[in-house]
Amino acid sequence: MSSKDGRNLIDAHAQTAPQRLTASLRQELQPQNLFNVLSAGLICGVITVIVSIAFASLIFSDALPRYLPGGINLLLMASIVIAIIGALTSSLRGVVAGVQDSPVAIMAVVAAAIAQSMPSTARPDEVFFTIVAVMGFCTVLTGLFFFVLGHFQLGNLVRFVPYPVIGGFLGGTGMLLVVGALSMMAPSFNGLADLPQLFTGTTMWEWMPGTIFAILLFVALNRFSHPLTLPAMVVGASVVFYFLPRWLPWPLPQPAASAGGPMGPADASLRNVLVWLNLQHVNGGVLLRQVMSSVSVAVVSVISLLLNATALELALQRDIDLNRELKVMGITNVLAGLGGSAASTHILSETVLVHRMGGKSRLVGFIIAAVCGVVLLTGDAVLRFLPQPVLGGVLLFLGLDFLVTWVYKTWDQLPRVDYGILILILLVVTLVGFLEGIGLGLALTVLLFVVDYSRVDVVRHTLSGATYQSNFQYPRLYQQMLQRKGRHIYIFELQGFIFFGTAHSLLEQIKTHLEQEIGAKPRFIVLDFRLVNGLDTSAVFSFTRIKQLAHSHDVVLVLTNLSPQMQRRLEKGTSQSEEQEAWRIFPDLDRGVEWCEAQFLATLEEVGFDLHARQRTPNAWLEKLPDDENFDKLRAFLGSEEQPPPDDQAPASRPFDAAWLQSHLEPLEVAPGDVLIQQGKATQGLYFIASGQVTVRLEQDNGTTLRLSTMGAGAVVGELSFYLNTPASASVIVDQPGQMYVVSKAKLKEIAATDPHFKAALHEMMARLLSERLAHADATLRALLK
């Protein structure tokens, strides 16, 4: 980066928020950008007006056609508020927000139900304001739901809803839009039960024009990506319906704004349609009975926002802060709901259109609001040119688009069982109700979670003490003994969320190992919870049974990496009886396996071996060992029986022994707490431990330390930094007092000049040491990959 770019970056960070906003607006108002912004805003504004009128027609044309102009004004006013707030507060410049089709489809059903449930003595204005109050109430609750999800950073939870359930919801939304569009165009059609009536002589000509227009619109929008396609087709269809009536075999349709019946349209001024100025006309009982409808609207709106946000991330190739957008749309819906609007979210198609046209600016929202404001002020002068088949065709197109996307295209994408679930939810939404469909969807979500999770093995890896050993480095003979006896240590690395079903599966696996007649039977069973993210209360009973089963077979159960919450849950659900040894808890797998290894090696105490004192008196107990080939190897390794080679033996064939090596090293007395090697710094040399104990610790970025290894007599530390000439990757700290031998690089060069075979012997030893470590790591890796 050049110095000029660096200065610009610093200046940008030094600017205040108003200064950054002013600079952004100055750039957006440049002539080459302003044209793109104006074009995108005007086109999206026209589309918003057309869709708002269609949505209002869907909600009010069947229940209260006389109040359709008032409903249109409500949605236009809401579109103004939504566009401005979305433009000012969204994290994405150029975003287009508006009334969403999914909540509108639900509100159309709710509006029809309210109109039927109102008392026969209710006046039309009472029906209208009750519908508007219910719609606003649902929108306000949806906004609060959005805001709570965003405030508590819970937006990503929606991503865990299974895909078939989402498809069923949105497919059902598409079906409701189709039914609503047909009902608006053919008043005698009230649902799928009246499907045969659609094909009667006069009724067929009522919905056929709009259906033809919807199909043409669907084909055109999927074939042509030009932003003017939708407005041009709406204008063209309106011209056909009004100026070429003699060519058409059906009666001239009425304009949407004049579909008021013999009484004519009601007063559509905002003073007469705002619900909070006319609360005295709201039927409170009907409002309360529709409270559950808000649940349907909220659930579907959250799903729509999630899908639109995810699709925007893919289309625009950038991340979107979903939690911030939830809070933004929460505030937007609360304000719009106070005016009686339907719920709103981001509009995917229009936002992508704005960015493709180069109109990525917050001014787009204000231009959309201005277009809606002009239509709101002119009223019937604009609305009278939109015939009923055009509005019905737009709604039918939206419904068909949902069905094609979520029903037709998913046939090849989903397994047949998942596709069957999608269709089942769709049918329940269409034939029974949206609330019942949501209930079924939530139940199926839980069922799918249980079924899918039951297929995931709770045991990620099954290891043994022969393939996985602790980071405590024992003398070579004891390592060999642990490799042979380690098969009696069974290690189960658990994963995921453990509930009753997965815990029972673990119980069956442990039971199989305990009752096997061939192979090494367990003496220790280690359960590692490092990858477990939760423990259900129902699983505690299975762990109690595991403990009882282990005790009956004289097996010690070891639990590692238990979180405090899981440990409390296990302690409350089980009782530590007098058989305390049957239940051991350690902070990590390394400590747990080390304890199991120590139990095996503790048998050597019968010959005078003390695990905790062996480094302080490394040679005193050697004389007590029995005359056995394995113990001879141990003596040879520690150099207690090795004698210096005779002088007449050729140096090239002289055998390597510890005593000969120690004669070339510098002794070093150490005490607990001494730092032999500091992480990140160069080492002083190679350290050979004659007695005592050291621990290799890794200092992590979060300030915690991780034990990598604990070593005693016969071990070597510092070899990686010594040979690679790099800073130490971990620290080595003395745990127990003892003696060590050190060789520095300078000392090694000095000795090599007088005794070149020492260097070769040292390299031979280090090669053997590293090879053994590599072989052990390879065995562990092979066990993990099984």
Side-chain angles (χ1 to χ4, degrees):
M1 184 175 66
S2 64
S3 58
K4 180 179 179 181
D5 293 335
R7 288 193 300 271
N8 293 337
L9 183 62
I10 295 174
D11 293 340
H13 282 286
Q15 291 178 337
T16 62
Q19 289 174 336
R20 289 196 296 271
L21 179 60
T22 302
S24 176
L25 289 175
R26 187 182 298 114
Q27 180 181 4
E28 294 171 358
L29 291 175
Q30 293 179 0
Q32 64 271 23
N33 296 327
L34 185 59
F35 177 78
N36 296 334
V37 172
L38 287 174
S39 301
L42 289 173
I43 293 173
C44 291
V46 172
I47 295 175
T48 300
V49 169
I50 294 172
V51 173
S52 297
I53 296 173
F55 287 165
S57 301
L58 179 63
I59 296 173
F60 294 103
S61 63
D62 187 31
L64 284 172
R66 182 168 176 258
Y67 281 86
L68 176 58
I72 293 173
N73 286 345
L74 279 178
L75 293 190
L76 288 175
M77 182 188 66
S79 298
I80 295 173
V81 174
I82 294 166
I84 292 176
I85 296 179
L88 289 175
T89 58
S90 176
S91 60
L92 182 65
R93 287 194 308 161
V95 69
V96 178
V99 177
Q100 185 67 308
D101 40 19
S102 302
V104 168
I106 301 175
M107 287 311 307
V109 177
V110 173
I114 291 175
Q116 294 178 1
S117 62
M118 290 289 288
S120 58
T121 58
R123 300 189 308 272
D125 59 341
E126 294 178 348
V127 179
F128 173 76
F129 286 114
T130 302
I131 292 175
V132 174
V134 171
M135 185 164 60
F137 179 75
C138 292
T139 303
V140 169
L141 287 184
T142 299
L144 294 176
F145 185 50
F146 278 5
F147 190 86
V148 169
L149 288 177
H151 179 73
F152 291 101
Q153 307 290 309
L154 300 176
N156 288 326
L157 290 179
V158 188
R159 301 182 190 270
F160 292 94
V161 179
Y163 190 82
V165 176
I166 293 177
F169 287 158
L170 298 181
T173 299
M175 185 61 73
L176 291 180
L177 286 171
V178 169
V179 173
L182 292 175
S183 299
M184 186 181 73
M185 293 184 290
S188 61
F189 176 73
N190 295 317
L192 294 180
D194 299 330
L195 193 61
Q197 296 184 13
L198 289 177
F199 300 96
T200 59
T202 56
T203 305
M204 188 169 62
W205 293 114
E206 293 175 346
W207 60 269
M208 186 64 72
T211 302
I212 295 175
F213 173 65
I215 294 174
L216 293 175
L217 189 60
F218 181 84
V219 173
L221 290 179
N222 281 276
R223 180 162 185 164
F224 306 106
S225 59
H226 197 279
L228 292 176
T229 302
L230 176 61
M233 291 199 66
V234 170
V235 172
S238 300
V239 170
V240 169
F241 287 132
Y242 277 99
F243 295 100
L244 300 176
R246 56 188 177 182
W247 292 359
L248 302 176
W250 53 81
L252 185 69
Q254 287 184 310
S258 61
M263 298 179 60
D267 187 357
S269 63
L270 293 181
R271 173 66 181 82
N272 291 322
V273 298
L274 289 176
V275 66
W276 47 274
L277 296 178
N278 297 273
L279 292 177
Q280 69 275 12
H281 301 303
V282 176
N283 189 311
V286 175
L287 174 64
L288 293 178
R289 287 196 296 269
Q290 296 295 330
V291 168
M292 293 305 297
S293 300
S294 61
V295 177
S296 304
V297 174
V299 171
V300 173
S301 299
V302 168
I303 292 176
S304 298
L305 188 148
L306 165 68
L307 294 176
N308 288 344
T310 303
L312 283 174
E313 289 178 335
L314 296 176
L316 305 181
Q317 298 182 2
R318 59 160 295 178
D319 293 332
I320 294 178
D321 187 348
L322 182 58
N323 290 307
R324 175 177 173 178
E325 295 305 312
L326 280 169
K327 290 193 288 186
V328 167
M329 296 313 302
I331 296 173
T332 301
N333 277 280
V334 169
L335 295 178
L338 293 176
S341 170
S344 61
T345 61
H346 304 87
I347 307 300
L348 172 63
S349 57
E350 295 179 34
T351 302
V352 174
L353 174 63
V354 167
H355 282 254
R356 287 179 178 175
M357 294 182 65
K360 188 174 65 174
S361 168
R362 299 189 185 276
L363 293 176
V364 170
F366 291 92
I367 298 173
I368 293 174
V371 173
C372 294
V374 170
V375 177
L376 183 64
L377 294 176
T378 56
D380 291 351
V382 174
L383 302 181
R384 66 168 56 99
F385 294 105
L386 293 176
Q388 194 94 340
V390 172
L391 296 178
V394 171
L395 292 173
L396 188 57
F397 155 74
L398 294 174
L400 291 175
D401 187 61
F402 269 98
L403 291 175
V404 170
T405 301
W406 294 101
V407 179
Y408 175 74
K409 292 183 178 180
T410 53
W411 171 258
D412 295 327
Q413 299 174 358
L414 295 178
R416 292 297 169 256
V417 174
D418 291 349
Y419 188 81
I421 293 174
L422 186 152
I423 297 299
L424 178 61
I425 296 176
L426 184 151
L427 292 176
V428 171
V429 169
T430 306
L431 301 177
V432 182
F434 216 102
L435 190 60
E436 291 79 2
I438 287 180
L440 176 63
L442 294 177
L444 291 177
T445 297
V446 175
L447 179 62
L448 288 175
F449 169 81
V450 173
V451 171
D452 291 340
Y453 225 95
S454 64
R455 297 173 181 171
V456 178
D457 194 349
V458 68
V459 179
R460 183 176 185 180
H461 295 121
T462 302
L463 307 171
S464 72
T467 55
Y468 182 94
Q469 297 177 5
S470 72
N471 289 326
F472 197 108
Q473 292 191 10
Y474 299 95
R476 184 179 305 174
L477 175 62
Y478 287 81
Q479 292 178 7
Q480 295 173 355
M481 294 175 62
L482 289 174
Q483 289 176 359
R484 292 198 304 268
K485 298 293 185 180
R487 293 175 300 166
H488 298 279
I489 303 176
Y490 281 74
I491 303 171
F492 295 90
E493 187 181 40
L494 309 182
Q495 65 178 348
F497 185 85
I498 301 179
F499 57 97
F500 181 75
T502 54
H504 183 74
S505 173
L506 174 63
L507 171 63
E508 291 298 323
Q509 294 187 47
I510 293 177
K511 186 177 181 181
T512 300
H513 287 293
L514 290 175
E515 295 179 351
Q516 65 183 352
E517 297 181 358
I518 301 177
K521 290 191 176 182
R523 283 189 55 192
F524 300 90
I525 292 180
V526 182
L527 302 179
D528 182 52
F529 290 78
R530 183 176 63 89
L531 300 178
V532 174
N533 50 37
L535 181 66
D536 187 69
T537 304
S538 62
V540 175
F541 299 103
S542 295
F543 279 98
T544 303
R545 182 71 186 104
I546 291 173
K547 177 182 176 181
Q548 295 171 349
L549 190 64
H551 178 66
S552 65
H553 287 78
D554 196 23
V555 173
V556 180
L557 192 62
V558 177
L559 308 182
T560 63
N561 279 306
L562 271 176
S563 67
Q565 180 181 6
M566 288 188 287
Q567 183 171 345
R568 286 194 300 269
R569 183 160 293 179
L570 286 175
E571 290 174 350
K572 290 180 180 179
T574 60
S575 59
Q576 287 283 44
S577 59
E578 63 275 11
E579 296 86 15
Q580 183 71 22
E581 68 276 4
W583 187 277
R584 298 280 182 171
I585 297 177
F586 294 92
D588 53 53
L589 180 61
D590 182 34
R591 301 287 184 180
V593 174
E594 179 187 346
W595 181 85
C596 296
E597 294 170 345
Q599 306 311 301
F600 280 123
L601 297 179
T603 57
L604 290 178
E605 293 180 357
E606 297 178 1
V607 293
F609 181 70
D610 185 355
L611 284 172
H612 302 287
R614 69 184 186 278
Q615 290 88 2
R616 293 191 295 272
T617 57
N619 298 319
W621 56 276
L622 288 175
E623 301 300 330
K624 301 180 182 180
L625 292 176
D627 187 11
D628 181 83
E629 179 182 358
N630 290 327
F631 290 104
D632 290 341
K633 294 180 180 178
L634 177 60
R635 294 189 187 93
F637 177 73
L638 295 177
S640 62
E641 296 182 351
E642 297 285 356
Q643 300 296 330
D647 294 336
D648 58 350
Q649 185 173 2
S653 60
R654 180 165 49 181
F656 169 76
D657 63 89
W660 176 57
L661 177 62
Q662 292 175 6
S663 65
H664 293 80
L665 307 180
E666 299 177 3
L668 175 65
E669 297 291 335
V670 294
D674 289 350
V675 179
L676 300 181
I677 299 175
Q678 182 68 46
Q679 181 175 332
K681 297 183 179 180
T683 59
Q684 301 301 316
L686 280 175
Y687 294 83
F688 297 84
I689 305 176
S691 62
Q693 179 177 296
V694 301
T695 295
V696 183
R697 299 177 183 175
L698 175 66
E699 299 174 6
Q700 302 183 95
D701 295 336
N702 58 6
T704 61
T705 59
L706 177 66
R707 183 184 80 154
L708 298 182
S709 180
T710 297
M711 296 175 284
V716 182
V717 294
E719 68 280 2
L720 292 180
S721 179
F722 183 84
Y723 278 97
L724 298 178
N725 197 26
T726 58
S729 57
S731 298
V732 180
I733 302 174
V734 177
D735 296 330
Q736 297 178 5
Q739 186 179 44
M740 301 188 183
Y741 293 90
V742 188
V743 57
S744 64
K745 289 187 176 181
K747 182 66 174 178
L748 181 60
K749 291 181 180 179
E750 178 183 340
I751 298 175
T754 58
D755 190 351
H757 300 288
F758 171 80
K759 187 175 183 180
L762 178 63
H763 292 337
E764 177 188 345
M765 174 184 175
M766 297 310 302
R768 185 170 63 249
L769 175 65
L770 296 176
S771 297
E772 290 174 351
R773 293 180 182 176
L774 181 61
H776 176 66
D778 180 69
T780 303
L781 181 60
R782 289 176 181 273
L784 292 173
L785 294 177
K786 287 183 178 178

